[in-house]
Amino acid sequence: MTATDRSIELITAAAQAAADRLAHDIIAYDVSDVLSITDAFLLASAPNDRQVKSIVDEIEEKLLKELGAKPVRREGDRDARWILLDYIDIVVHVQHSEERVFYALERLWKDCPEIDLPEDAKLTKGKAEEHAALRAAQGDDELDGDLF
């Protein structure tokens, strides 16, 4: 079994919305063979809580406006360290960069096929490392608010 056309459409739009808000390391997995509850996962991250919220808001707005899709559940808003949007067909995880490293969801789903994403989303690969290196080079923990 593979992800449905609708799931791919939702993942593609969500990935583009995340890229538009400068998310880091956007990746999507077809989990339909190993999970019965959803077809695909989208993972993205950001270096600060404010940007995590901005990415999630953009994804929600784009999927509603362009595809008429509303999440059935939204979790993690309070702390904005890891926000989950459940659209039934897909689940979107937007994490603070620190949570992304700690929980390493990519390790859990590495055996699942990756879903091809828009070019803008592909270009985000490695952005979290670049951001961390820049922060370390400048010795400034306050950069999180400056580098979207």
mmCIF file of all heavy atoms in Angstrom, residues 11 14-28 42-45 55 100 106 114-115 117-118 120-126:
data_model
loop_
_atom_site.group_PDB
_atom_site.id
_atom_site.type_symbol
_atom_site.label_atom_id
_atom_site.label_comp_id
_atom_site.label_asym_id
_atom_site.label_seq_id
_atom_site.Cartn_x
_atom_site.Cartn_y
_atom_site.Cartn_z
ATOM 1 N N ILE A 11 0.785 16.667 1.541
ATOM 2 C CA ILE A 11 2.200 16.726 1.943
ATOM 3 C C ILE A 11 2.945 17.761 1.117
ATOM 4 O O ILE A 11 3.729 18.562 1.639
ATOM 5 C CB ILE A 11 2.876 15.336 1.801
ATOM 6 C CG1 ILE A 11 2.469 14.427 2.945
ATOM 7 C CG2 ILE A 11 4.392 15.450 1.694
ATOM 8 C CD1 ILE A 11 3.115 14.711 4.286
ATOM 9 N N ALA A 14 1.889 21.252 2.210
ATOM 10 C CA ALA A 14 2.413 21.533 3.543
ATOM 11 C C ALA A 14 3.918 21.778 3.501
ATOM 12 O O ALA A 14 4.426 22.684 4.174
ATOM 13 C CB ALA A 14 2.082 20.385 4.494
ATOM 14 N N ALA A 15 4.626 21.004 2.712
ATOM 15 C CA ALA A 15 6.083 21.183 2.587
ATOM 16 C C ALA A 15 6.409 22.537 1.972
ATOM 17 O O ALA A 15 7.333 23.226 2.418
ATOM 18 C CB ALA A 15 6.677 20.055 1.751
ATOM 19 N N GLN A 16 5.641 22.936 0.970
ATOM 20 C CA GLN A 16 5.884 24.241 0.346
ATOM 21 C C GLN A 16 5.588 25.369 1.329
ATOM 22 O O GLN A 16 6.343 26.338 1.418
ATOM 23 C CB GLN A 16 5.034 24.405 -0.922
ATOM 24 C CG GLN A 16 5.310 25.697 -1.666
ATOM 25 C CD GLN A 16 6.748 25.805 -2.145
ATOM 26 O OE1 GLN A 16 7.235 24.936 -2.851
ATOM 27 N NE2 GLN A 16 7.445 26.868 -1.763
ATOM 28 N N ALA A 17 4.523 25.227 2.098
ATOM 29 C CA ALA A 17 4.190 26.246 3.097
ATOM 30 C C ALA A 17 5.295 26.350 4.145
ATOM 31 O O ALA A 17 5.682 27.454 4.548
ATOM 32 C CB ALA A 17 2.854 25.916 3.760
ATOM 33 N N ALA A 18 5.818 25.207 4.586
ATOM 34 C CA ALA A 18 6.911 25.214 5.563
ATOM 35 C C ALA A 18 8.156 25.878 4.975
ATOM 36 O O ALA A 18 8.821 26.678 5.635
ATOM 37 C CB ALA A 18 7.222 23.785 6.015
ATOM 38 N N ALA A 19 8.447 25.576 3.728
ATOM 39 C CA ALA A 19 9.608 26.187 3.063
ATOM 40 C C ALA A 19 9.409 27.696 2.920
ATOM 41 O O ALA A 19 10.367 28.468 3.083
ATOM 42 C CB ALA A 19 9.841 25.542 1.700
ATOM 43 N N ASP A 20 8.188 28.104 2.638
ATOM 44 C CA ASP A 20 7.890 29.540 2.508
ATOM 45 C C ASP A 20 8.163 30.287 3.812
ATOM 46 O O ASP A 20 8.479 31.473 3.789
ATOM 47 C CB ASP A 20 6.433 29.761 2.098
ATOM 48 C CG ASP A 20 6.143 29.321 0.672
ATOM 49 O OD1 ASP A 20 7.096 29.079 -0.102
ATOM 50 O OD2 ASP A 20 4.942 29.196 0.334
ATOM 51 N N ARG A 21 8.044 29.612 4.940
ATOM 52 C CA ARG A 21 8.307 30.214 6.252
ATOM 53 C C ARG A 21 9.707 29.858 6.762
ATOM 54 O O ARG A 21 10.000 29.995 7.944
ATOM 55 C CB ARG A 21 7.267 29.777 7.275
ATOM 56 C CG ARG A 21 5.924 30.393 7.054
ATOM 57 C CD ARG A 21 5.964 31.855 7.438
ATOM 58 N NE ARG A 21 4.646 32.411 7.230
ATOM 59 C CZ ARG A 21 4.425 33.617 6.766
ATOM 60 N NH1 ARG A 21 5.422 34.394 6.466
ATOM 61 N NH2 ARG A 21 3.202 34.044 6.601
ATOM 62 N N LEU A 22 10.553 29.392 5.846
ATOM 63 C CA LEU A 22 11.966 29.135 6.121
ATOM 64 C C LEU A 22 12.213 28.042 7.154
ATOM 65 O O LEU A 22 13.141 28.122 7.974
ATOM 66 C CB LEU A 22 12.686 30.419 6.519
ATOM 67 C CG LEU A 22 12.547 31.581 5.526
ATOM 68 C CD1 LEU A 22 13.242 32.818 6.077
ATOM 69 C CD2 LEU A 22 13.091 31.210 4.160
ATOM 70 N N ALA A 23 11.408 26.988 7.105
ATOM 71 C CA ALA A 23 11.638 25.826 7.963
ATOM 72 C C ALA A 23 12.951 25.158 7.566
ATOM 73 O O ALA A 23 13.426 25.310 6.438
ATOM 74 C CB ALA A 23 10.484 24.834 7.816
ATOM 75 N N HIS A 24 13.512 24.417 8.495
ATOM 76 C CA HIS A 24 14.756 23.689 8.257
ATOM 77 C C HIS A 24 14.475 22.208 8.040
ATOM 78 O O HIS A 24 13.558 21.651 8.641
ATOM 79 C CB HIS A 24 15.685 23.806 9.459
ATOM 80 C CG HIS A 24 16.146 25.198 9.736
ATOM 81 N ND1 HIS A 24 16.807 25.527 10.878
ATOM 82 C CD2 HIS A 24 16.067 26.345 9.018
ATOM 83 C CE1 HIS A 24 17.125 26.801 10.874
ATOM 84 N NE2 HIS A 24 16.665 27.333 9.760
ATOM 85 N N ASP A 25 15.272 21.591 7.201
ATOM 86 C CA ASP A 25 15.317 20.130 7.049
ATOM 87 C C ASP A 25 13.940 19.493 6.863
ATOM 88 O O ASP A 25 13.568 18.558 7.578
ATOM 89 C CB ASP A 25 16.039 19.507 8.242
ATOM 90 C CG ASP A 25 17.470 20.014 8.365
ATOM 91 O OD1 ASP A 25 18.164 20.068 7.338
ATOM 92 O OD2 ASP A 25 17.881 20.374 9.484
ATOM 93 N N ILE A 26 13.216 19.958 5.880
ATOM 94 C CA ILE A 26 11.883 19.411 5.598
ATOM 95 C C ILE A 26 12.039 18.058 4.913
ATOM 96 O O ILE A 26 12.787 17.923 3.943
ATOM 97 C CB ILE A 26 11.075 20.370 4.703
ATOM 98 C CG1 ILE A 26 10.950 21.747 5.370
ATOM 99 C CG2 ILE A 26 9.705 19.781 4.382
ATOM 100 C CD1 ILE A 26 10.428 22.834 4.451
ATOM 101 N N ILE A 27 11.322 17.083 5.428
ATOM 102 C CA ILE A 27 11.359 15.739 4.859
ATOM 103 C C ILE A 27 9.995 15.087 5.071
ATOM 104 O O ILE A 27 9.295 15.392 6.046
ATOM 105 C CB ILE A 27 12.488 14.893 5.491
ATOM 106 C CG1 ILE A 27 12.703 13.601 4.714
ATOM 107 C CG2 ILE A 27 12.238 14.642 6.961
ATOM 108 C CD1 ILE A 27 14.007 12.909 5.046
ATOM 109 N N ALA A 28 9.610 14.210 4.169
ATOM 110 C CA ALA A 28 8.321 13.511 4.287
ATOM 111 C C ALA A 28 8.535 12.020 4.048
ATOM 112 O O ALA A 28 9.351 11.620 3.216
ATOM 113 C CB ALA A 28 7.323 14.063 3.284
ATOM 114 N N LEU A 42 5.132 14.497 7.683
ATOM 115 C CA LEU A 42 5.999 15.591 7.255
ATOM 116 C C LEU A 42 6.727 16.080 8.496
ATOM 117 O O LEU A 42 6.099 16.323 9.525
ATOM 118 C CB LEU A 42 5.196 16.739 6.642
ATOM 119 C CG LEU A 42 6.036 17.919 6.153
ATOM 120 C CD1 LEU A 42 6.758 17.569 4.861
ATOM 121 C CD2 LEU A 42 5.187 19.151 5.956
ATOM 122 N N LEU A 43 8.044 16.210 8.399
ATOM 123 C CA LEU A 43 8.862 16.712 9.498
ATOM 124 C C LEU A 43 9.534 17.996 9.056
ATOM 125 O O LEU A 43 10.043 18.086 7.933
ATOM 126 C CB LEU A 43 9.951 15.706 9.883
ATOM 127 C CG LEU A 43 9.534 14.267 10.147
ATOM 128 C CD1 LEU A 43 10.762 13.399 10.404
ATOM 129 C CD2 LEU A 43 8.588 14.196 11.323
ATOM 130 N N ALA A 44 9.535 18.974 9.947
ATOM 131 C CA ALA A 44 10.217 20.247 9.696
ATOM 132 C C ALA A 44 10.642 20.805 11.041
ATOM 133 O O ALA A 44 10.103 20.435 12.080
ATOM 134 C CB ALA A 44 9.294 21.225 8.974
ATOM 135 N N SER A 45 11.614 21.712 11.013
ATOM 136 C CA SER A 45 12.062 22.303 12.270
ATOM 137 C C SER A 45 12.384 23.774 12.088
ATOM 138 O O SER A 45 12.471 24.270 10.957
ATOM 139 C CB SER A 45 13.272 21.550 12.830
ATOM 140 O OG SER A 45 14.318 21.509 11.893
ATOM 141 N N ILE A 55 5.413 28.686 11.129
ATOM 142 C CA ILE A 55 5.393 27.608 10.129
ATOM 143 C C ILE A 55 4.072 26.853 10.204
ATOM 144 O O ILE A 55 3.424 26.594 9.184
ATOM 145 C CB ILE A 55 6.594 26.656 10.329
ATOM 146 C CG1 ILE A 55 7.906 27.380 9.998
ATOM 147 C CG2 ILE A 55 6.441 25.392 9.486
ATOM 148 C CD1 ILE A 55 9.150 26.667 10.504
ATOM 149 N N ARG A 100 14.039 18.298 17.638
ATOM 150 C CA ARG A 100 14.264 17.491 16.432
ATOM 151 C C ARG A 100 15.480 16.597 16.616
ATOM 152 O O ARG A 100 15.454 15.421 16.282
ATOM 153 C CB ARG A 100 14.439 18.422 15.231
ATOM 154 C CG ARG A 100 14.699 17.747 13.902
ATOM 155 C CD ARG A 100 13.415 17.493 13.151
ATOM 156 N NE ARG A 100 13.619 16.882 11.859
ATOM 157 C CZ ARG A 100 13.495 17.500 10.705
ATOM 158 N NH1 ARG A 100 13.151 18.778 10.658
ATOM 159 N NH2 ARG A 100 13.664 16.854 9.580
ATOM 160 N N GLU A 106 13.467 10.899 12.347
ATOM 161 C CA GLU A 106 13.989 10.319 11.104
ATOM 162 C C GLU A 106 14.524 8.910 11.336
ATOM 163 O O GLU A 106 14.400 8.055 10.455
ATOM 164 C CB GLU A 106 15.117 11.178 10.510
ATOM 165 C CG GLU A 106 14.667 12.489 9.948
ATOM 166 C CD GLU A 106 14.721 13.624 10.950
ATOM 167 O OE1 GLU A 106 14.714 13.389 12.170
ATOM 168 O OE2 GLU A 106 14.764 14.774 10.497
ATOM 169 N N GLU A 114 10.886 7.867 1.265
ATOM 170 C CA GLU A 114 10.723 9.321 1.303
ATOM 171 C C GLU A 114 9.781 9.739 0.190
ATOM 172 O O GLU A 114 9.754 9.130 -0.875
ATOM 173 C CB GLU A 114 12.067 10.031 1.106
ATOM 174 C CG GLU A 114 12.904 10.081 2.342
ATOM 175 C CD GLU A 114 14.131 10.967 2.184
ATOM 176 O OE1 GLU A 114 14.011 12.071 1.603
ATOM 177 O OE2 GLU A 114 15.201 10.539 2.640
ATOM 178 N N ILE A 115 9.024 10.787 0.452
ATOM 179 C CA ILE A 115 8.120 11.353 -0.545
ATOM 180 C C ILE A 115 8.835 12.530 -1.197
ATOM 181 O O ILE A 115 9.426 13.360 -0.511
ATOM 182 C CB ILE A 115 6.799 11.805 0.110
ATOM 183 C CG1 ILE A 115 6.069 10.582 0.686
ATOM 184 C CG2 ILE A 115 5.923 12.555 -0.893
ATOM 185 C CD1 ILE A 115 4.839 10.932 1.512
ATOM 186 N N LEU A 117 9.469 15.986 -2.622
ATOM 187 C CA LEU A 117 8.910 17.272 -2.216
ATOM 188 C C LEU A 117 9.265 18.357 -3.223
ATOM 189 O O LEU A 117 10.177 18.175 -4.039
ATOM 190 C CB LEU A 117 9.452 17.653 -0.832
ATOM 191 C CG LEU A 117 9.079 16.717 0.314
ATOM 192 C CD1 LEU A 117 9.773 17.151 1.599
ATOM 193 C CD2 LEU A 117 7.575 16.664 0.501
ATOM 194 N N PRO A 118 8.594 19.515 -3.136
ATOM 195 C CA PRO A 118 8.934 20.635 -4.015
ATOM 196 C C PRO A 118 10.392 21.060 -3.808
ATOM 197 O O PRO A 118 10.970 20.864 -2.734
ATOM 198 C CB PRO A 118 7.982 21.754 -3.574
ATOM 199 C CG PRO A 118 6.895 21.084 -2.813
ATOM 200 C CD PRO A 118 7.474 19.826 -2.247
ATOM 201 N N ASP A 120 11.817 23.910 -3.310
ATOM 202 C CA ASP A 120 12.039 24.814 -2.177
ATOM 203 C C ASP A 120 12.212 24.030 -0.872
ATOM 204 O O ASP A 120 13.033 24.387 -0.024
ATOM 205 C CB ASP A 120 10.887 25.800 -2.012
ATOM 206 C CG ASP A 120 10.835 26.838 -3.106
ATOM 207 O OD1 ASP A 120 11.838 27.002 -3.829
ATOM 208 O OD2 ASP A 120 9.789 27.506 -3.239
ATOM 209 N N ALA A 121 11.437 22.978 -0.710
ATOM 210 C CA ALA A 121 11.527 22.158 0.498
ATOM 211 C C ALA A 121 12.827 21.349 0.505
ATOM 212 O O ALA A 121 13.477 21.220 1.547
ATOM 213 C CB ALA A 121 10.317 21.229 0.599
ATOM 214 N N LYS A 122 13.219 20.841 -0.636
ATOM 215 C CA LYS A 122 14.476 20.074 -0.720
ATOM 216 C C LYS A 122 15.676 20.942 -0.354
ATOM 217 O O LYS A 122 16.637 20.462 0.249
ATOM 218 C CB LYS A 122 14.672 19.516 -2.126
ATOM 219 C CG LYS A 122 13.711 18.416 -2.498
ATOM 220 C CD LYS A 122 13.967 17.988 -3.933
ATOM 221 C CE LYS A 122 12.920 17.026 -4.427
ATOM 222 N NZ LYS A 122 13.129 16.657 -5.832
ATOM 223 N N LEU A 123 15.619 22.207 -0.705
ATOM 224 C CA LEU A 123 16.738 23.119 -0.442
ATOM 225 C C LEU A 123 16.925 23.425 1.040
ATOM 226 O O LEU A 123 17.929 24.021 1.427
ATOM 227 C CB LEU A 123 16.550 24.420 -1.227
ATOM 228 C CG LEU A 123 16.666 24.299 -2.744
ATOM 229 C CD1 LEU A 123 16.306 25.615 -3.423
ATOM 230 C CD2 LEU A 123 18.059 23.848 -3.158
ATOM 231 N N THR A 124 15.988 23.008 1.880
ATOM 232 C CA THR A 124 16.092 23.272 3.320
ATOM 233 C C THR A 124 16.979 22.250 4.030
ATOM 234 O O THR A 124 17.313 22.440 5.195
ATOM 235 C CB THR A 124 14.710 23.276 3.995
ATOM 236 O OG1 THR A 124 14.155 21.954 3.950
ATOM 237 C CG2 THR A 124 13.775 24.282 3.345
ATOM 238 N N LYS A 125 17.352 21.210 3.334
ATOM 239 C CA LYS A 125 18.170 20.158 3.945
ATOM 240 C C LYS A 125 19.512 20.732 4.404
ATOM 241 O O LYS A 125 20.195 21.406 3.646
ATOM 242 C CB LYS A 125 18.392 19.013 2.969
ATOM 243 C CG LYS A 125 18.904 17.773 3.603
ATOM 244 C CD LYS A 125 18.842 16.600 2.653
ATOM 245 C CE LYS A 125 18.991 15.338 3.454
ATOM 246 N NZ LYS A 125 18.186 14.271 2.986
ATOM 247 N N GLY A 126 19.848 20.499 5.651
ATOM 248 C CA GLY A 126 21.107 20.980 6.209
ATOM 249 C C GLY A 126 21.051 22.380 6.788
ATOM 250 O O GLY A 126 22.032 22.873 7.338
#
